[in-house]
Amino acid sequence: MYKSRLTALLIGICLGMMAQERPIAFTNAYIIPIEGADLAKGTLIIKGGKIIGLGNNISIPADAQINDLKGQVIMPGLVDSHSHIGSGEGADASAPIQPEIRISDSINVENTSIRRAQAGGITTVNVMPGSGHLLSGQTVYLKLRRGTTIDELAVEKTAHGYLGGMKMANGTNSRREAGNFPGTRSKSASLVREQFIKAQAYQAKIKLAAGDANKLPARDLGMEALVEVIEGKRTVHHHTHRHDDIITVLRLQKEFGFRVVLHHVSEAWAVADEIKAAGDGVIGASIIIVDSPGGKLETKEIRFSNGASLEKAGVLCGFHTDDPITDSRWFLRSGALAIRYGMTRNESLKAMTINNAKLVGLDKRVGSLAIGKDADLLVLSGDPFSVYTKIQETWVEGQRVFNRLDPSDRKFATGGVGAAMDTMDHTDLLEHESEDL
Amino acid sequence: MRYILVSLFSLVLSAQDIAVRADKLYTVSGSMISDGIVVIEKGKIKAIGKASDIKLPAGIKIIQGNVAMPGIIDGHSTVGFSGLLNQRHDQEQVERSAPIQPELRAIDAYNPKDPLVRFLAHRGITTVHTGHGPGALVSGQTLIAKTTGNTIDETVIVSEAMIAATLGDSIRNAGTKAPGTRSKAMAMIRSELLSAQAYMRKVDIAKAEQRPERNIRMEALIQVLKRERPLLITAHKSIDIMGVLRLGKEFNIQVILDGAADAHLLIREIKASGVSIIIHPLMAYPRGEMENINLETPALLYKAGIPFIFQSGFEAYVPKTRVVLWEAAMAVGNGLSWEQTIYTLTLGAARLLGIQGRVGSLEVGKDGDIALFSGDPFEWTTRCTGTVINGQLISEGELLKD
């Protein structure tokens, strides 16, 4: 026991030493910092996992390793505000509301879906439980570092696990014929209201106890998480498609004051102004671009122009993969298709990066290239929105996690034997809650 | 009287008279024409060439575009069968009451007005090979149609194109008599083809009065045995692909491989068999039987000289249809040349489907089917700006409000 701890300690020290101490300078790059103008022939310097230099003619530390990019493109690592990589399982079929569930308990960080996401340039991701419940549990924010445990990938450990949000859903996915699940939209909203009123009462009891252990209510993991939600410390990530369901989320948000990100929002084009008018508690919308409408009734009116509509209304808009609904490897394509249907290029770039970072509250650390921020970046062979461009390298906190020139990495971009050996079969997925859209 | 009316009509422009002018006109059969014009009369291409060389009929409607190419052909879809809503009433792509039903005609179920047919037309897809899909050992027939028109009769090009079959895991739910294993599936399809051979012999040798009673199931399979129609077999895993090649050889029938996720692992075997492939959508999610799919397969097939075309495939959920142009774009980004990809989406697809006499290239006498784009058709940010089918502008292209 002692020996294994010592080994663990030694490995820990080694990892610490391996953390990028020598500066690396990426020179001769077309840099898209997202916030601020592009640099046509810029230099980016990273050290200790952070960005320490960015500019046109900046001095490079003498000990820096020089990486001449010969005109290739650098942009920040992509942020995916809604994904199911890691083959996690959320709430089960026992109840429609399960706030105590933590997706972090079931994520396999060695699943190939994570390698494919790295190949797609995703460096920060909100991994969620599915949408088959009104409330299916706690989400987790990951940095896609190379690691073998969830602790190594989590953005941050907290008193109750890991930093993340709370997944909720309305519309038809969370309705079931069986058990205590709701059968209508009104019943769905009613069950959610009841739950939040319970959480308010629990919160009041804690306040009343004023730290006196004898007066505290019995611990309730679900209530504890919901108190975080109503205190604005844990963001609700709310699956919603139809215009009337979107408005219902806004109504519940107003009543209980939680902070919410609207997800999918297939009919955003119909209620973009209402979303904007909802105020600061509605942080923004995370949308998906799928290749055609339909497949389920709630998405028959989905439009490629949702991004453009939200931009026009002034709503903070991010994109998500909802992997496996769309493939993490071509997440950039979502941004390109949004441009195709009227979003500006600038807003689309932001939607892939800083806007998504804001939706998960990590914009101080990720989402743009700026001194002091995490060294999460992509090296691209050309324009981020071109079908001909390849993601050559993905870096997370100063470590290269994907290198297209390395054949064992490359297969996670192109596919082939071993690139997806542990993904769930389609039929499993249909029964599984993670088939989410 | 009737004769006079006809000749009067021929003096005025018909509704299917139109000219398309583009900065870059890709004919596919010949080289690209800068500032080219295609003149379409009564739905057929009448003339094609440089704008400076073509004399336009007075008053003809002119459609302008940056890039024009032959209407795109989707090599295999279930559009018009697997409808937008994904409800029981609009899903016709597979009948699960029995495992083998080659007699199910596609023309009896195709809905040319499903919104997804129109959705594809808006994106430059003018012809689809569609019909019964994967999911039963022999699921039924397929057809080839244009992506416009109110009735099947108006829109169909080939009413009996192929007979669709499937090997692999997905066929095990097709009724109580569905095969439970791969070996059983092969045994069942073999027995069926043997029965059809016996029936064919009886029909061929018998005198009129001794002829066996008509059997529409056997009649459909006879067309396969006589190589009049291909057996289109969906198979992804290596073992199933090998099963397809074996069946083709054993019965001397024309098999076409559909899907073929593992094709990149069997290049030598497929090449030797002479079998063509309708390759899976490249953006299909890698899982289950498709876990090995590889974006570089089209480039590998081309290099090996294996004939193949692209498809949008069948989707059980979202997206309810894929767009074959967008699937092919992933091949261009992964080693297949731009020209070869354009060819494969048009003339290559037409040849493999046997409709090259009508569509697939911009040549005098062929159907006036043209797709217009704002730029490189494969770029994610390029929009389709117009679709012409049989000389009619049936779409102004993708709309920004889509």
Side-chain angles (χ1 to χ4, degrees):
Chain A
M1 190 63 190
Y2 175 75
K3 198 178 163 190
S4 68
R5 276 192 192 163
L6 185 67
T7 314
L9 187 67
L10 284 173
I11 290 171
I13 291 167
C14 290
L15 281 172
M17 285 167 68
M18 278 159 63
Q20 183 234 339
E21 289 310 319
R22 189 180 165 198
I24 301 172
F26 297 91
T27 62
N28 199 10
Y30 185 95
I31 300 177
I32 305 172
I34 301 295
E35 291 178 313
D38 291 4
L39 307 175
K41 208 170 180 182
T43 297
L44 179 80
I45 308 170
I46 62 175
K47 189 189 175 189
K50 298 283 180 186
I51 296 168
I52 62 161
L54 174 68
N56 273 323
N57 289 304
I58 53 171
S59 64
I60 296 169
D63 62 333
Q65 180 190 324
I66 309 280
N67 195 346
D68 182 352
L69 289 185
K70 299 183 175 107
Q72 292 191 100
V73 175
I74 286 186
M75 72 178 289
L78 308 180
V79 183
D80 182 356
S81 45
H82 182 155
S83 177
H84 301 285
I85 56 172
S87 161
E89 299 171 288
D92 66 6
S94 61
I97 296 178
Q98 304 188 41
E100 68 279 15
I101 294 296
R102 301 173 190 168
I103 193 71
S104 53
D105 287 326
S106 67
I107 290 172
N108 174 9
V109 298
E110 300 198 57
N111 188 270
T112 55
S113 58
I114 290 180
R115 301 296 299 274
R116 294 195 302 276
Q118 291 167 331
I122 294 166
T123 55
T124 302
V125 56
N126 174 27
V127 179
M128 307 252 262
S131 55
H133 300 74
L134 296 170
L135 199 157
S136 62
Q138 300 166 31
T139 83
V140 65
Y141 303 155
L142 302 180
K143 292 295 289 286
L144 295 188
R145 308 172 186 112
R146 283 232 172 132
T148 49
T149 66
I150 186 83
D151 292 46
E152 290 167 85
L153 270 69
V155 165
E156 197 180 310
K157 288 198 80 167
T158 62
H160 302 299
Y162 307 95
L163 193 67
M166 181 66 80
K167 175 71 180 284
M168 292 182 68
N170 66 7
T172 53
N173 280 27
S174 45
R175 286 157 62 154
R176 292 188 203 191
E177 298 300 318
N180 46 8
F181 278 73
T184 63
R185 287 180 155 81
S186 286
K187 179 73 176 182
S188 300
S190 166
L191 288 173
V192 167
R193 287 191 72 217
E194 260 176 21
Q195 196 70 15
F196 275 112
I197 288 166
K198 261 174 75 183
Q200 283 175 330
Y202 188 83
Q203 181 194 32
K205 277 186 203 165
I206 292 172
K207 274 188 186 153
L208 204 66
D212 182 345
N214 294 320
K215 291 180 184 165
L216 280 174
R219 280 196 67 190
D220 180 320
L221 292 174
M223 284 295 127
E224 285 176 6
L226 281 178
V227 168
E228 290 178 347
V229 167
I230 54 181
E231 290 180 349
K233 294 170 186 161
R234 182 181 289 280
T235 298
V236 170
H237 292 286
H238 208 303
H239 159 116
T240 183
H241 285 290
R242 232 169 64 177
H243 62 96
D244 48 346
D245 290 327
I246 299 167
I247 297 296
T248 298
V249 178
L250 301 183
R251 194 181 309 117
L252 288 167
Q253 187 280 328
K254 205 170 175 189
E255 185 173 356
F256 296 102
F258 51 78
R259 288 167 60 75
V260 65
V261 175
L262 304 168
H263 284 256
H264 309 321
V265 221
S266 295
E267 296 184 12
W269 56 269
V271 290
D273 292 336
E274 286 79 359
I275 296 170
K276 177 61 185 174
D280 292 342
V282 179
I283 304 170
S286 171
I287 60 170
I288 187 167
I289 313 278
V290 289
D291 278 20
S292 64
K296 60 182 278 179
L297 289 173
E298 286 180 314
T299 62
K300 76 183 174 62
E301 303 296 337
I302 194 171
R303 289 187 184 176
F304 288 94
S305 57
N306 277 335
S309 297
L310 291 165
E311 180 184 5
K312 206 173 153 205
V315 177
L316 182 71
C317 172
F319 298 123
H320 63 253
T321 62
D322 199 4
D323 193 323
I325 298 294
T326 69
D327 196 313
S328 296
R329 290 177 292 167
W330 35 87
F331 187 28
L332 281 166
R333 180 173 177 270
S334 295
L337 289 176
I339 295 170
R340 182 180 184 128
Y341 294 91
M343 199 179 202
T344 63
R345 178 187 162 87
N346 197 35
E347 191 63 20
S348 183
L349 280 167
K350 285 165 71 178
M352 308 291 310
T353 54
I354 191 69
N355 289 3
N356 267 341
K358 287 176 181 168
L359 295 180
V360 293
L362 296 172
D363 50 303
K364 297 257 185 316
R365 280 187 64 180
V366 303
S368 63
L369 300 176
I371 290 170
K373 279 194 153 184
D374 289 1
D376 297 352
L377 58 100
L378 312 181
V379 177
L380 303 155
S381 63
D383 185 304
F385 294 130
S386 170
V387 69
Y388 303 107
T389 294
K390 294 284 172 291
I391 295 170
Q392 299 294 100
E393 298 177 17
T394 304
W395 293 68
V396 178
E397 295 169 7
Q399 305 283 343
R400 190 167 58 189
V401 297
F402 170 77
N403 176 10
R404 195 176 162 93
L405 296 178
D406 177 347
S408 61
D409 280 3
R410 189 177 185 277
K411 74 168 180 220
F412 292 108
T414 60
V417 176
M421 62 208 175
D422 49 10
T423 49
M424 282 170 285
D425 199 342
H426 194 75
T427 47
D428 296 344
L429 266 163
L430 285 174
E431 289 156 19
H432 199 273
E433 293 313 329
S434 79
E435 186 85 82
D436 183 57
L437 185 84
Chain B
M1 183 64 189
R2 198 165 153 220
Y3 176 75
I4 294 166
L5 264 178
V6 169
S7 38
L8 270 175
F9 265 110
S10 65
L11 292 174
V12 297
L13 291 168
S14 108
Q16 288 168 292
D17 291 356
I18 204 169
V20 174
R21 181 171 183 173
D23 300 338
K24 290 182 174 179
L25 180 64
Y26 293 93
T27 63
V28 178
S29 49
S31 45
M32 189 270 283
I33 303 170
S34 294
D35 192 14
I37 281 194
V38 187
V39 182
I40 303 165
E41 280 186 17
K42 296 194 183 72
K44 299 279 182 187
I45 296 173
K46 183 77 188 276
I48 182 164
K50 285 191 84 71
S52 50
D53 301 339
I54 299 273
K55 194 170 176 284
L56 289 176
I60 195 166
K61 185 178 179 179
I62 303 173
I63 310 295
Q64 299 261 6
N66 296 337
V67 171
M69 62 180 281
I72 292 165
I73 300 169
D74 187 341
H76 188 203
S77 169
T78 52
V79 75
F81 291 81
S82 52
L84 171 88
L85 304 178
N86 212 9
Q87 301 297 301
R88 204 189 160 109
H89 79 270
D90 73 345
Q91 299 305 297
E92 305 288 342
Q93 73 283 355
V94 65
E95 159 67 46
R96 293 201 162 90
S97 57
I100 301 179
Q101 306 192 64
E103 67 275 24
L104 303 186
R105 295 189 303 192
I107 51 170
D108 294 326
Y110 181 64
N111 175 10
K113 297 180 88 166
D114 188 88
L116 291 176
V117 176
R118 184 91 181 141
F119 176 85
L120 294 182
H122 278 308
R123 281 149 189 84
I125 319 302
T126 55
T127 300
V128 286
H129 172 217
T130 184
H132 291 95
L137 183 51
V138 179
S139 64
Q141 302 174 16
T142 64
L143 59 78
I144 302 171
K146 298 283 182 78
T147 53
T148 185
N150 284 326
T151 66
I152 178 70
D153 299 334
E154 220 177 285
T155 190
V156 74
I157 302 177
V158 180
S159 56
E160 302 176 0
M162 300 186 193
I163 289 174
T166 311
L167 294 178
D169 300 334
S170 71
I171 59 179
R172 295 178 187 183
N173 303 324
T176 50
K177 288 179 178 164
T181 63
R182 288 186 152 75
S183 291
K184 177 73 174 180
M186 288 293 283
M188 285 170 73
I189 199 163
R190 262 195 202 103
S191 305
E192 195 69 22
L193 288 167
L194 285 172
S195 304
Q197 275 178 341
Y199 180 86
M200 180 170 70
R201 271 196 299 273
K202 275 190 209 158
V203 173
D204 286 350
I205 60 168
K207 296 186 183 76
E209 62 275 20
Q210 293 166 319
R211 222 165 252 167
E213 277 181 37
R214 280 195 64 191
N215 180 329
I216 54 174
R217 175 165 158 175
M218 291 294 125
E219 283 173 1
L221 289 176
I222 284 175
Q223 290 182 303
V224 170
L225 291 170
K226 289 187 170 170
R227 299 181 69 95
E228 290 165 0
R229 278 208 269 170
L231 190 61
L232 176 73
I233 311 182
T234 306
H236 288 296
K237 288 171 79 93
S238 291
I239 34 174
D240 297 321
I241 293 175
M242 291 307 289
V244 172
L245 304 187
R246 212 174 291 129
L247 280 174
K249 214 169 166 183
E250 276 176 38
F251 291 91
N252 187 30
I253 57 179
Q254 188 197 354
V255 290
I256 292 177
L257 252 175
D258 176 71
D262 280 355
H264 58 99
L265 304 173
L266 292 169
I267 293 287
R268 198 182 50 192
E269 290 79 2
I270 296 169
K271 172 71 179 164
S273 73
V275 167
S276 303
I277 301 182
I278 306 180
I279 197 71
H280 57 77
L282 293 191
M283 289 188 283
Y285 199 85
R287 60 186 160 205
E289 292 186 322
M290 300 179 80
E291 70 176 45
N292 295 330
I293 66 171
N294 190 334
L295 295 175
E296 295 176 319
T297 299
L300 288 168
L301 295 175
Y302 176 68
K303 209 174 137 202
I306 297 169
F308 73 94
I309 60 175
F310 294 106
Q311 66 168 309
S312 62
F314 162 70
E315 292 296 331
Y317 192 49
V318 287
K320 195 55 197 171
T321 185
R322 295 177 177 276
V323 179
V324 71
L325 169 68
W326 300 352
E327 300 300 324
M330 299 304 276
V332 195
N334 287 279
L336 194 67
S337 74
W338 192 95
E339 291 74 15
Q340 189 59 33
T341 310
I342 290 282
Y343 169 83
T344 306
L345 278 172
T346 54
L347 194 52
R351 284 184 174 146
L352 197 139
L353 297 172
I355 50 175
Q356 72 274 26
R358 283 191 60 180
V359 296
S361 57
L362 301 182
E363 292 178 78
V364 172
K366 281 199 179 183
D367 291 4
D369 296 355
I370 299 177
L372 289 132
F373 292 93
S374 59
D376 179 349
F378 298 125
E379 278 289 16
W380 292 330
T381 47
T382 293
R383 273 199 311 277
C384 175
T385 55
T387 307
V388 174
I389 299 181
N390 301 327
Q392 282 187 309
L393 182 69
I394 60 108
S395 163
E396 306 269 1
E398 295 163 57
L399 305 172
L400 282 176
K401 70 168 184 60
D402 275 357

